[in-house]
Amino acid sequence: MILEGLFGLISGVINLIPFELPQAPEKVTTVLDMIFDGITSSFGLIDMFIDLKFWIACGITLTIIYNIKHIWNTFIFIINLIPTVNVSYWN
């Protein structure tokens, strides 16, 4: 689903181009459809045994917690770009 969404986003950006791009050969589109169908069905089988949405949310939360210091320093750096604000930050 992630790859399908990513390719959907890329194709949406490509559709904004004012000229026509050549069509991909039918064999290529058939192979890509077969690959995405296999990925979708395998995620469906995995989802029967574990809750993927829960584990993806846990992974995102773990990544944010692990990098909280970098996120905080970036936030303070952006705030310090405002000339009248003087905030000391966490090194």
Side-chain angles (χ1 to χ4, degrees):
M1 287 192 319
I2 294 171
L3 289 176
E4 192 173 348
L6 182 65
F7 284 124
L9 178 69
I10 291 170
S11 66
V13 170
I14 289 174
N15 287 335
L16 295 174
I17 297 173
F19 57 87
E20 290 288 325
L21 293 174
Q23 291 290 329
E26 188 174 332
K27 289 183 179 182
V28 172
T29 57
T30 306
V31 168
L32 285 176
D33 287 339
M34 186 173 53
I35 289 171
F36 284 129
D37 288 341
I39 290 172
T40 304
S41 65
S42 66
F43 276 133
L45 289 173
I46 292 171
D47 199 28
M48 286 176 20
F49 299 106
I50 60 173
D51 187 13
L52 286 178
K53 291 180 184 177
F54 171 74
W55 288 108
I56 290 171
C58 286
I60 291 170
T61 305
L62 181 69
T63 304
I64 289 172
I65 290 172
Y66 186 73
N67 292 313
I68 192 71
K69 184 176 180 182
H70 301 292
I71 294 168
W72 178 257
N73 283 337
T74 304
F75 177 71
I76 295 299
F77 174 76
I78 291 171
I79 287 180
N80 279 330
L81 290 177
I82 303 171
T84 58
V85 177
N86 187 12
V87 179
S88 63
Y89 62 94
W90 188 8
N91 285 328

